[in-house]
Amino acid sequence: MATPFGSMGVRDIQRGLAAKEFSAAEVARASFERIEAADGVVHSFLETTEALAADAAIRIDTAIAEGRLAEMGPLAGVPVGYKDNMNLTGTHTTCSSNMLRDYVSPYTATCVEHTLRAGALPIGKLNMDEFAFGSSTETSAFGPTRNPWDIERVPGGSSGGSAAAVAAGLVPVSLGSDTGGSIRQPGAFCGLVAVKPTYGVVSRYGVVAFGSSLDQVGPFARSVEDAALALNALAGRDELDCTSQPCDVDFTANLAEGVRGMKVGVVRAFMEAEGLTAEVKAKVEEAAAVLRDAGAEIVEVELPHAQAAMSAYYVLGPCEAFSNLARFDSVRYGYCDPGHKDLGSQYEASRAAGFGPEAKRRIMLGSYLLSAGVYDTYYYPAQQVRTLITQDYAAAYERCDVILTPVAPRTAFKFGEISDPTEMYLSDMFTISINIAGNGGMSVPVGLGAQTGLPVGVQLIAPPFRDANMFRAAAALEQHYGVAPVAPDFADGKVGA
Ligand code: GLN
């Protein structure tokens, strides 16, 4: 029987490599074969990087031949995909936008570099909502990604390609970025472990900026341990990003510890939120019971200003996006509409053609919110709300080690089902306040919803730089629910119904 690479995790691959059951070159090849066979349906990859993977595989296979596999890092021989807002020298980095359709990275982002240094096999670049604006991957200029659990449905977003590639068993690990929920929400929709670390744990250097004070990179995987191993590779101080912090935590260290003695906070207002579906609510309650049965103490905590997080985010996010997107002006970066005699009309025509509707909406919103006279009315109060929310979390953490909430109010929706932008924004009602406060949050799969039969995730949130707390609780949930499977239609080498 052929080796079932699609369902393997990091340790399975490394065990097989160490036992010489297969080579790193074969692992890479298997990943590309899976993509070839199944990604026509899923459409998670925008570009594959066979030559880079082959080079990386040679380094691993040489190390194995010389008995040095253990020195090759936590991701040695592991296929990894990257969201297409992460630079990797020689690859296109499009942010799924016509604006950057032809842009080729002249350098490599630190987060990508860290995975390569840890021995990863770079497989390619993954589809996303344009410039990471969205919750469904429907705003990609290159067409949507499908959810491997039900190809009629969205994978979530904006890191939908990163989630779908792991859920379909094309790669065991991928990277996404999260400004308001873009790792955790697609993680929940695709039934994965998906981590947004504390702001500053992972360098943002070389990741195309959306909201610089909110953006954070993190991993997708099917198991808690794989996500922890990936974060071990990613984390740490980078001289090229002054907001990054030193990190010497081993995120795998406390996975076997259990949750006895841990205090898990639940937020009643979140559980009673309008729009939260019965099946998601039931799963969060079930997860709380699982943690309690495993020895944790459940305590109620309050986040009184969290209901203002959405409003603050849709002021701060567009303001930061507006200023970050100014560089795509057809001269410094981005599509250049030909034939203009003056720069003004070249700017206008290039930006009109290069950006899609959601990007334009954010740019217009940000430019208005930052204009003279308006700034004091919106931007300044939004920053004050940010402080209040951060203080809410700090107060909550005096009573608990980790907070348990829903990730998204519902399971994956159908293509086109949500067409009103403000309704789409509500997808992130439970994730946004975490980016506002800057602490870490992760999505953990807890099985399928009773009504829709689709994956449901719960969110674990930890105090700043205590991300290890949420991994510890996540491992206890995984103990109960089992390691997340590849989506059934893509399991055992299948390539979609
Ligand atoms: N869905 C949110 C938005 O559209 C969050 C996106 C993200 O985290 N990148 O802004």
Side-chain angles (χ1 to χ4, degrees):
M1 196 189 111
T3 315
F5 288 107
S7 59
M8 284 189 179
V10 173
R11 300 277 202 215
D12 305 319
I13 291 173
Q14 291 172 346
R15 256 192 299 274
L17 290 173
K20 300 201 165 70
E21 285 164 22
F22 45 77
S23 65
E26 282 172 88
V27 175
R29 215 173 308 128
S31 194
F32 292 119
E33 279 168 14
R34 288 278 304 149
I35 293 166
E36 181 69 33
D39 209 37
V41 175
V42 181
H43 191 233
S44 58
F45 279 90
L46 296 178
E47 176 171 343
T48 49
T49 50
E50 285 80 355
L52 293 175
D55 285 350
I58 288 171
R59 281 195 293 281
I60 302 298
D61 286 331
T62 308
I64 294 170
E66 293 170 358
R68 293 187 289 109
L69 178 61
E71 291 165 28
M72 296 309 286
L75 297 176
V78 176
V80 177
Y82 305 97
K83 187 175 182 177
D84 207 30
N85 59 354
M86 298 171 188
N87 280 284
L88 168 57
T89 305
T91 66
H92 287 86
T93 297
T94 67
C95 291
S96 291
S97 177
N98 280 320
M99 188 50 105
L100 289 174
R101 182 183 275 273
D102 300 317
Y103 178 73
V104 176
S105 299
Y107 70 109
T108 296
T110 301
C111 60
V112 176
E113 186 64 44
H114 278 194
T115 64
L116 300 179
R117 236 186 273 159
L121 310 176
I123 299 302
K125 308 294 284 293
L126 293 156
N127 200 17
M128 56 188 278
D129 278 299
E130 183 176 10
F131 285 104
F133 304 141
S135 305
S136 66
T137 315
E138 289 168 290
T139 71
S140 167
F142 309 126
T145 296
R146 293 163 185 260
N147 188 323
W149 285 85
D150 177 350
I151 58 171
E152 306 286 305
R153 289 171 191 273
V154 304
S158 63
S159 312
S162 306
V166 177
L170 310 183
V171 284
V173 173
S174 66
L175 301 191
S177 65
D178 187 313
T179 307
S182 279
I183 293 176
R184 291 159 286 163
Q185 185 256 19
F189 278 18
C190 292
L192 301 171
V193 179
V195 186
K196 186 211 84 80
T198 299
Y199 183 82
V201 166
V202 182
S203 166
R204 290 176 295 109
Y205 177 75
V207 181
V208 180
F210 163 0
S212 306
S213 77
L214 303 157
D215 298 344
Q216 190 60 195
V217 166
F220 289 88
R222 286 188 302 275
S223 76
V224 174
E225 186 184 37
D226 284 6
L229 288 165
L231 191 56
N232 280 352
L234 291 171
R237 169 75 185 162
D238 174 14
E239 290 305 318
L240 299 168
D241 173 3
C242 64
T243 63
S244 66
Q245 302 292 326
C247 176
D248 55 7
V249 179
D250 173 1
F251 295 100
T252 66
N254 62 8
L255 299 186
E257 233 168 75
V259 288
R260 193 160 298 285
M262 259 189 131
K263 287 191 177 149
V264 178
V266 292
V267 187
R268 189 194 290 268
F270 279 22
M271 298 302 286
E272 287 163 2
E274 197 186 327
L276 178 65
T277 57
E279 61 176 354
V280 174
K281 181 175 180 179
K283 276 293 185 188
V284 181
E285 283 166 352
E286 182 186 279
V290 167
L291 292 172
R292 192 189 50 227
D293 292 347
E297 183 189 339
I298 308 293
V299 297
E300 272 203 24
V301 294
E302 279 173 43
L303 300 170
H305 301 93
Q307 88 272 16
M310 187 72 81
S311 313
Y313 175 85
Y314 279 100
V315 173
L316 300 174
C319 288
E320 295 192 24
F322 159 67
S323 77
N324 276 322
L325 265 52
R327 70 189 63 144
F328 303 105
D329 62 3
S330 76
V331 176
R332 284 174 294 182
Y333 290 97
Y335 169 73
C336 181
D337 198 61
H340 294 270
K341 293 209 172 57
D342 70 285
L343 204 49
S345 76
Q346 180 181 308
Y347 283 162
E348 208 175 302
S350 302
R351 284 170 70 86
F355 289 127
E358 187 60 30
K360 285 179 183 150
R361 191 172 294 123
R362 308 277 173 126
I363 291 169
M364 289 194 298
L365 203 51
S367 87
Y368 170 72
L369 292 166
L370 288 176
S371 56
V374 177
Y375 173 94
D376 286 339
T377 318
Y378 294 103
Y379 186 77
Y380 190 64
Q383 291 290 21
Q384 291 176 311
V385 168
R386 185 170 199 170
T387 301
L388 292 172
I389 291 173
T390 309
Q391 288 169 348
D392 280 356
Y393 273 105
Y397 292 131
E398 282 173 16
R399 309 200 45 224
C400 65
D401 306 296
V402 73
I403 298 173
L404 173 74
T405 75
V407 178
R410 53 171 295 180
T411 54
F413 44 87
K414 292 208 159 126
F415 290 100
E417 188 179 336
I418 301 185
S419 53
D420 173 33
T422 41
E423 202 187 320
M424 187 70 87
Y425 298 169
L426 291 174
S427 289
D428 301 306
M429 60 199 280
F430 300 118
T431 49
I432 272 177
S433 65
I434 291 98
N435 301 70
I436 297 271
N439 42 14
M442 71 192 277
S443 173
V444 185
V446 291
L448 307 179
Q451 275 85 45
T452 61
L454 292 164
V456 177
V458 296
Q459 178 171 237
L460 292 165
I461 315 167
F465 299 103
R466 307 289 288 279
D467 303 72
N469 288 10
M470 64 192 187
F471 276 96
R472 182 176 161 199
L477 288 176
E478 185 178 72
Q479 188 82 36
H480 177 85
Y481 290 99
V483 169
V486 171
D489 289 345
F490 292 84
D492 308 318
K494 288 204 286 286
V495 293

